[in-house]
Structures are given as structure tokens and as C-alpha cells.
Amino acid sequence: MERHPSRHPSRKAVLRAALAAGVTAPAVLMGVPALARTVAPTGTAPEPTPACDDGDDPTPPQMEGPYFKPNSPRRTSLLEPGTPGTRLTVTGYVFGLACRPLSGVLLDFWQADVNGAYDNAGFRFRGHQFTGADGSFTLTTIVPGLYPGRTRHLHVKAQAPGRPVLTTQLYFPGEPRNNTDPLFDARLLMTVRDAGGGSQAAFDFVLNVPQTPGPGPGPTPPPGGGGWAVGTAYRPGDRVTYGTGAYTCLQGHTAQPGWEPPKAPALWRAG
């Protein structure tokens, strides 16, 4: 998301570089290039993560569009045998307002195929995943095709445990239709480069999740409700009650605050 290579990197970029290098906190790396994730560790002692007061507003929302479907399969690759199209790998991190990574964030992606068509009958080019302990994610897919009225884009929903859902879209730099698509937002441009016959893209989400420079806030107990319980490991087909409703588990997971059945359609089906 760094779009000003001549400026110092944001605190978020410095922390991202530290995460990529495998250290627990960012060092002072003033003078590194904009793509800070590629910077090698300096060997200096890491400092505590500072407050995120560097202009990193939360990632802006965008419309869902007509093609979203709940209950997508859990997977990090949307490719299937024989899938045509230019391979695309999207990597990044999800941060809160203090530039600290957020683990366990639900990311639900959907997109058009190489011909610009969405699969509304099944789940081709649809899938959800969760960020790792360091807030990172990786999506393997193809560069989506074009269809009338829109520039090239990916759709995504992001939800941290116990927080509202962010619905937005990601865009590709250098696309001619970026200038004519009324929904295009330059703040949602990915960083994209060619790599071995495919493309590699990077984007970091900032969610509206309050944080302090210390450890992230503890979980918020969910409102009361029936048989569903935080910390319980659920398997596909398990049935629970929550409030006055009954729900069936769609994906194996361990329940966390914010993933109550009514709030997590990728995990639970009513009935």
C-alpha cells in the first residue's frame, strides 16, 4: 500500500518488514525502500511497536456487488486442474489501528474467471481463509478477466473476531479501465510485479480494530446463547443452538468471539 517511494516508510511497513524477517518487533529502518517486506534485518535491537499515527487509515470499504455467495470453501488456492489464466499470488498482512498484526481474521475472496464470468452455480474462484499468528495471508488464483463496465478487480470480505465485516475490492495498477470505472479507488491498488510467467501482488489491510502498543486486546465474550461456546472445536455437520436459532457447522474450526453462527455465514448455516 506504500505509494510514495521517496518518503520514509510507514510504521506499518517497518513492522511488516520485521514480520517477513521473522523478528518479533520492528527495528528502526528509516531509509528502507517502499516495499519494506523485502528488507533484510539490520541486526539492531528491535524497539517496541509504536502507535500507528502515520496516516494509515482503515482500508476503505466498497460495495459487495451482485455476485457474492456465502458458504465458500475454506482454501488458500482457488486454482483447479486445467484452470486457464495467468497465475496470481496475493500476499499481505492484516493490521489493526496500532499497526499490530491481527491473527485469525476471516478473509473471504471471490472473483471473475479469465473470461470475466462469475460462477453463480458453484464455487469456482471463491474461497475463504484465516490469517496466521503473524497476521499474514496468501491467496493463489489467476488474474481475473474483464467484463463490461468494470476494471480488473478482486472482491474480499475481512472480519476480525468480534468486529464488523469489511467488504472491499482490490485493484491492479496500470489498467486502462482504472480511469473509467466509477468504483475504482487508488487506495485499494495492490503492488504487482511479474514473476516466472505469472504475477505476484501484495496488499496489507488495516481494519478498524482498536489496539495499544502492547499486546492486543483480549477477546470479548460473546452475548449469551444456547449450545454454541467459545473454545469449542466444531466439525462439519455439528449442530448447535444460538439464541433462538439452530445452526449446522459448514467448516471445521475452533469457535472464537466474533464467529457466532449468525455472524459467520462461511462457518454456519441456519437450520
Side-chain angles (χ1 to χ4, degrees):
M1 291 172 62
E2 291 73 37
R3 295 180 297 278
H4 305 285
S6 63
R7 301 181 183 178
H8 289 313
S10 70
R11 291 187 178 97
K12 173 170 59 62
V14 174
L15 186 136
R16 180 179 61 185
L19 292 171
V23 297
T24 58
V28 177
L29 299 175
M30 304 307 288
V32 298
L35 288 181
R37 70 170 69 231
T38 63
V39 178
T42 64
T44 58
E47 295 187 357
T49 304
C52 191
D53 185 20
D54 55 12
D56 287 318
D57 294 326
T59 301
Q62 289 216 316
M63 64 180 295
E64 177 181 280
Y67 302 120
F68 172 71
K69 287 181 62 176
N71 307 327
S72 69
R74 181 176 179 177
R75 55 187 178 182
T76 59
S77 175
L78 306 185
L79 299 180
E80 298 177 359
T83 300
T86 301
R87 297 298 187 262
L88 172 69
T89 301
V90 184
T91 61
Y93 294 90
V94 180
F95 296 96
L97 295 179
C99 293
R100 297 187 63 82
L102 295 171
S103 63
V105 174
L106 175 63
L107 295 170
D108 198 344
F109 294 94
W110 71 102
Q111 66 171 85
D113 64 15
V114 69
N115 298 313
Y118 288 84
D119 180 11
N120 297 316
F123 289 95
R124 286 190 310 113
F125 296 110
R126 300 176 185 271
H128 74 274
Q129 59 178 280
F130 300 92
T131 57
D134 61 352
S136 66
F137 71 91
T138 299
L139 176 71
T140 304
T141 183
I142 64 166
V143 176
L146 294 167
Y147 58 91
R150 292 303 315 276
T151 190
R152 215 177 299 274
H153 62 280
L154 304 174
H155 292 271
V156 61
K157 289 181 179 286
Q159 182 182 23
R163 305 299 301 180
V165 177
L166 167 71
T167 300
T168 193
Q169 302 181 34
L170 303 181
Y171 295 99
F172 294 76
E175 288 289 328
R177 292 193 187 182
N178 288 351
N179 296 323
T180 58
D181 188 331
L183 295 179
F184 172 75
D185 188 333
R187 295 172 296 175
L188 297 170
L189 278 169
M190 296 183 290
T191 300
V192 181
R193 66 182 182 89
D194 295 334
S199 294
Q200 292 184 350
F203 189 87
D204 294 332
F205 296 91
V206 179
L207 300 185
N208 190 14
V209 175
Q211 295 174 313
T212 65
T220 301
W228 182 88
V230 171
T232 302
Y234 292 108
R235 299 168 300 177
D238 286 350
R239 291 177 58 81
V240 300
T241 57
Y242 185 87
T244 60
Y247 297 86
T248 301
C249 179
L250 299 172
Q251 300 286 340
H253 67 284
T254 299
Q256 298 187 38
W259 296 347
E260 295 88 345
K263 297 181 180 179
L267 303 177
W268 295 97
R269 181 184 70 241

